[in-house]
Amino acid sequence: MKASRIVAVGLVAGAVAWVASGHLVPHESAESRAAIRAEAGGAKPFRVAVAETRVAPHARKLTMSGRTEADKKVTITARTGGVLTEMRVRRGQHVKKGDIIAVLSDDAREAQVAQATAIFNQRKAEFEARRKLIEQGSLPKLEAVNLEAQFKSAEAGLAAATAERDRGVLRAPWDGIITDNAEVGGAAFAMAGAPVAQMVALDPMLAVVEVSERRLGGLKIGDEAEVRLVNGQKAMGRVRYIAKIASQTTRTYRVEVELKNADGAIPDGITAEVSIPMAPVPAARVPRSALTFSSSGDLGVRIVKGDTKVDFVPISVVEDDQNHMWVAGIPDGARVIVQGQDFVREGQQVVAVPAEVAVGSAR
């Protein structure tokens, strides 16, 4: 028992001595050797690729997604009683202003016009005959007032009867295309606004977009705009309306671009992309990948200031051009780091080489 205890104590003591030797006696490793060499000879500067930028006026474009919308839409309704007896148009037909759309049953309207015409002629003849007697002094002058009142009443009755007769014939209010129509035989109730047909005006056509308050400042009425439809069509137009009141739900402003559409090739309600040129602003063109964030969270680019020192320049985006960005805030002639910008920090010393050389050596 005593021998086994001595052996156990010896094993424990040996283990403790082995562990302590790692802390008391230093051992050379690959990392320590690299650190010693770095301290002795200094760390090698990081290599970055740079591209020299030029600031020039850039004609930016405001591009938004929207839809087309017919300039005018109307539902033609019956303004008098009767039955729809004749429909002279069909769906999809083009009509001119004043063309007859539909005809309602007469319902004695023509007879009322004839009656009102007879009364008008009678009152007119009486008024002209007695006016001569009044001028000759055969009748009192007060009689002229009564005769004129009767004549004007008959004239108003004829006008009312004629208007009621004309309400039985529905006409196109302007040039357009019929989009829907009622069936012959349907009742058109008096003053109920029963729909008879629907029509739209496709010329001009509108391209409608919603613009945020931040992008509204550069727009003005009369600006040219390019419109690309989802079906591949292209058209040029001009801004004709800019809303002064924002939408309560989206806080955006309605902008309308007027397009010529005499042939009706542009349909109503199709998705459209509207591009409006803005006033040129000084900007520099840099690769999208060159943009980075500073330690404080600002968007910008890193440049090589002087010969070897890294600096950060905050920027503002002027326009997104797919692979490249047009940005403002970069000094003219600055050397922007386009490769390796995320591996260096402000104030660090680097070796800057042109981007073309860096790409060639990488290959």
Side-chain angles (χ1 to χ4, degrees), residues 294-318:
S294 67
S295 55
S296 59
D298 296 325
L299 177 65
V301 295
R302 288 190 171 91
I303 65 174
V304 176
K305 193 174 183 180
D307 293 330
T308 60
K309 187 178 179 181
V310 177
D311 194 12
F312 180 83
V313 178
I315 57 95
S316 59
V317 177
V318 174

Side-chain angles (χ1 to χ4, degrees), residues 46-71:
F46 191 81
R47 188 182 187 188
V48 296
V50 297
E52 188 173 340
T53 59
R54 294 297 177 188
V55 177
H58 174 63
R60 52 184 176 156
K61 287 185 178 181
L62 178 60
T63 303
M64 302 154 290
S65 180
R67 68 190 185 283
T68 59
E69 187 176 298
D71 184 31

Side-chain angles (χ1 to χ4, degrees), residues 259-333:
L259 307 172
K260 293 183 179 180
N261 192 33
D263 57 356
I266 303 176
D268 175 33
I270 192 171
T271 302
E273 182 183 76
V274 179
S275 297
I276 303 175
M278 309 290 287
V281 296
R285 186 171 181 261
V286 298
R288 179 192 293 271
S289 58
L291 272 62
T292 185
F293 289 94
S294 67
S295 55
S296 59
D298 296 325
L299 177 65
V301 295
R302 288 190 171 91
I303 65 174
V304 176
K305 193 174 183 180
D307 293 330
T308 60
K309 187 178 179 181
V310 177
D311 194 12
F312 180 83
V313 178
I315 57 95
S316 59
V317 177
V318 174
E319 186 178 12
D320 186 351
D321 189 13
Q322 295 182 350
N323 296 329
H324 291 79
M325 305 285 285
W326 289 93
V327 298
I330 301 177
D332 187 31

